Amino acid sequence: MIRRIPSLACLVVVLMLVRVARSDDAPPVPPQVLVVVGAGGSEEYQTAFATWADRWKSAAGLLDGASYHEIGREEGQSDSSDKDRLNERLSQLSDLKAEAVWVVLIGHGTFDGKAAKFNLRGPDVSAEELSGWIKPMRSPLIVVNCASASGPFINRLSAAGRTIVTATKSGQEQNFARFGDYLSQAISNIAADLDHDDEVSLLEAFLSASDQVAKFYEAENRIATEHALIDDSGDRLGTPATMFQGTTAVAVPQPKAARDGGVAARRVIFQSPQAVVLTPAQRESRAAIEAELDRLKLQKSELATDQYFAQLEPLMLQLAELYAAAEAEDSDESQRE
């Protein structure tokens, strides 16, 4: 039998496929944090939005290896608008395979009964336009819209692999939203750490900020004009903080709706110095274990006690082994230093 020798072209194709496979198997790059500061409209709001953005910038600096990007406070003339810059930056981030891409919108919003928009310097961006721009995103995506009338962004942006937070539950809540202020404080405040793991997750920050908003309106004896929502199940409904007990959603907004919060609970924003530092692979493993723990908790009432603990024990052991390995690596690293 005569064996055919592959042509040079075939060999090149094979090498390209191998490189692509290796690229896909490569570990993700650290988180990318994009903060978009919208048009303030007055000096009072401009100052407030700048303060919120500065807090996010500081928090991003504490994320292991995270890259911070910002749009909306550039000085000087430019041929492109903030809307164009946002589109371009999202296109650049879409090509990355990152642990997560965070898009934080800080400013005012509008709703005309049909379209919800985020106010930028120059042309505004609608929820529908943003939905098209993020469609190619390869990384897990978090969009936090701190603006008024932001509720419809959940309806447009919600999908598998995405976590969406809005300051309001609908486009009709058009008064200035304070949620963004409290959220920007909570993201790096260890007091928001509800499960006492020395980390503040997006879910914990959302719950803390929602609680502070409610307390503000109560103290002012005013009717609340904003009700924040979180959606990480992809069902386009969103869940308010009032449906959570601790970090577990104990209710859903509609019958048969998916429970929110499981993904957001594993999107970490802040780690205290006492927290065990995990590698990207270890964080991925922890997320998988904790997802199984969440699933098991929801089934607890349906299982016999011995069945529940029989399933709980191996998961807790896996989690303990993961942290033990991470602590050992930290110790070895400290000794080398």
Side-chain angles (χ1 to χ4, degrees), residues 114 134 149 178 310:
K114 294 182 179 180
I134 64 176
R178 293 168 173 79

Side-chain angles (χ1 to χ4, degrees), residues 238-261:
T239 302
T242 53
M243 291 186 179
F244 285 85
Q245 183 175 318
T247 56
T248 302
V250 295
V252 291
Q254 293 183 18
K256 297 184 179 180
R259 292 180 186 270
D260 291 309

Side-chain angles (χ1 to χ4, degrees), residues 247-291:
T247 56
T248 302
V250 295
V252 291
Q254 293 183 18
K256 297 184 179 180
R259 292 180 186 270
D260 291 309
V263 177
R266 290 180 279 278
R267 296 297 178 207
V268 174
I269 304 173
F270 171 78
Q271 289 182 318
S272 77
Q274 289 75 37
V276 177
V277 178
L278 303 178
T279 65
Q282 288 170 334
R283 284 196 289 270
E284 188 174 344
S285 296
R286 181 181 66 174
I289 296 170
E290 290 181 340

Side-chain angles (χ1 to χ4, degrees), residues 13-36:
V13 171
V14 171
L15 286 172
M16 290 177 65
L17 290 173
V18 170
R19 287 179 180 176
V20 170
R22 288 177 177 173
S23 175
D24 289 341
D25 292 339
V29 300
Q32 307 291 305
V33 181
L34 170 59
V35 171
V36 184

